[in-house]
Amino acid sequence: QVQLVESGGGLVQPGGSLRLSCAASGSIFSIVAMGWYRQAPGMERELVARINSDGTTNYADSVKGRFTISGDNAKNRVYLRMNSLKPENTAVYYCNADIVENIKTWLDCWGQGTQVTVSS
């Protein structure tokens, strides 16, 4: 069993910052990639940022330059620093991980989500 647990969400004013954290635990041989997705009310879930095991990253165009994803491979953790937050960034943010449990078993795992609300 593999679990992802997010933390760090909350209420922040426009222009403010938050740092999200996600910890992966369980039967993990290696992690191919970890990322953050978000889903706003009435909208589809979308990719925010992704970091691969080699350190390369991908960002949604709307957050590039404001958000930064980073990881700690030794601790199976991923972080998302969000700066210059806007009301349209309000959403539930989900941690995702592509995990190799063993040579024959690959898993696509999701956390429970953490609410981020940007409002004045």
Side-chain angles (χ1 to χ4, degrees):
Q1 183 71 32
V2 175
Q3 291 183 315
L4 303 179
V5 180
E6 305 101 328
S7 62
L11 175 64
V12 64
Q13 293 183 333
S17 299
L18 285 174
R19 189 194 190 199
L20 305 183
S21 177
C22 175
S25 63
S27 300
I28 300 172
F29 176 75
S30 66
I31 299 177
V32 177
M34 296 186 74
W36 291 94
Y37 291 71
R38 67 187 177 195
Q39 187 167 21
M43 304 294 290
E44 295 183 349
R45 188 173 299 187
E46 64 176 353
L47 173 69
V48 177
R50 175 186 175 96
I51 185 167
N52 302 299
S53 59
D54 63 0
T56 58
T57 57
N58 301 97
Y59 294 93
D61 288 341
S62 62
V63 308
K64 193 172 297 183
R66 297 188 296 118
F67 292 11
T68 302
I69 190 169
S70 61
D72 185 338
N73 290 335
K75 297 181 179 180
N76 292 331
R77 287 181 177 267
V78 65
Y79 306 92
L80 184 68
R81 171 67 70 181
M82 303 184 292
N83 295 326
S84 302
L85 282 162
K86 305 174 181 179
E88 54 262 42
N89 298 143
T90 295
V92 177
Y93 284 69
Y94 297 91
C95 180
N96 171 257
D98 296 326
I99 293 172
V100 179
E101 188 176 46
N102 54 61
I103 297 300
K104 297 182 179 181
T105 306
W106 289 55
L107 304 174
D108 182 27
C109 302
W110 293 89
Q112 82 287 348
T114 184
Q115 176 71 48
V116 172
T117 302
V118 185
S119 177
S120 60

